[in-house]
Amino acid sequence: MSETFTKGMARNIYFGGSVFFFLIFLALTYHTEQTFPARTNEAQLSESVVRGKLVWEQNNCVGCHTLLGEGAYFAPELGNVFQRRGGEEGFKPFLHAWMKMQPLGVPGRRAMPQFNLSGQEVDDIAEFLKWSSKINTNGWPPNKEG
C-alpha cells in the first residue's frame, strides 16, 4: 500500500462514510416507524384519555410536573404514578382524594394549587395518566419515584 494519502482517497472515504451512515439513518427511521404504533399504546386511546389530556393542558400541569421526562422539574414525574399509587383498583380514589386536599399547607414544602376540578375531570386525568403509564419508553425516565 502506498504511504501517500491522496485527495481521491480522502474523497472516497468521505463519500463512502456519508452513504454508509445515511443508509443506517434510513434503516433506523424505518424501524422506528414500524414499531411506533405498538410502543405508543395507540390502540388504548379513548375519549376519556383525550379529555384528560385536554384538562392536563388547560391547567398547565406540565408547568410543574414532568410526564415521560418532559416538562418542568418542580413537582414529581407522573409517567409512572398510575403504578406507584394503586394501579387499577386504587389509583382513581387516590387521585380524587389527592386533588381534593390540595394545597396541603405543609411548611417548607412545595404546594400544588387547588384547581377545583370536577369529578369527571379528575377521572379523565386518571385515564390519561393510566394510558401514558402504558407507553413503552424503554425504562425512561429512570427515576421510579418521580
Side-chain angles (χ1 to χ4, degrees), residues 7-24:
K7 280 184 174 181
M9 294 168 106
R11 183 178 52 246
N12 290 342
I13 290 171
Y14 172 76
F15 286 124
S18 296
V19 168
F20 175 75
F21 285 109
F22 183 71
L23 291 175
I24 288 178

Side-chain angles (χ1 to χ4, degrees), residues 8-73:
M9 294 168 106
R11 183 178 52 246
N12 290 342
I13 290 171
Y14 172 76
F15 286 124
S18 296
V19 168
F20 175 75
F21 285 109
F22 183 71
L23 291 175
I24 288 178
F25 171 75
L26 288 178
L28 290 172
T29 301
Y30 177 77
H31 177 264
T32 299
E33 287 297 318
Q34 295 304 307
T35 60
F36 201 68
R39 294 185 58 177
T40 60
N41 197 20
E42 181 180 314
Q44 301 301 318
L45 271 174
S46 66
E47 298 257 340
S48 61
V49 171
V50 173
R51 286 191 312 262
K53 184 170 188 312
L54 182 62
V55 172
W56 171 271
E57 291 170 348
Q58 288 173 338
N59 291 287
N60 192 27
C61 299
V62 78
C64 295
H65 292 278
T66 56
L67 184 64
L68 306 177
E70 294 293 322
Y73 291 95

Side-chain angles (χ1 to χ4, degrees), residues 80-98:
N80 59 4
V81 72
F82 176 74
Q83 284 92 5
R84 289 185 323 204
R85 300 293 183 248
E88 290 292 337
E89 298 84 34
F91 181 63
K92 279 189 183 181
F94 164 79
L95 191 60
H96 276 274
W98 181 258

Side-chain angles (χ1 to χ4, degrees), residues 110-127:
R110 296 176 281 194
M112 182 170 160
Q114 176 56 261
F115 290 105
N116 298 312
L117 300 176
S118 70
Q120 180 65 49
E121 289 174 321
V122 175
D123 283 342
D124 291 340
I125 286 180
E127 287 298 315

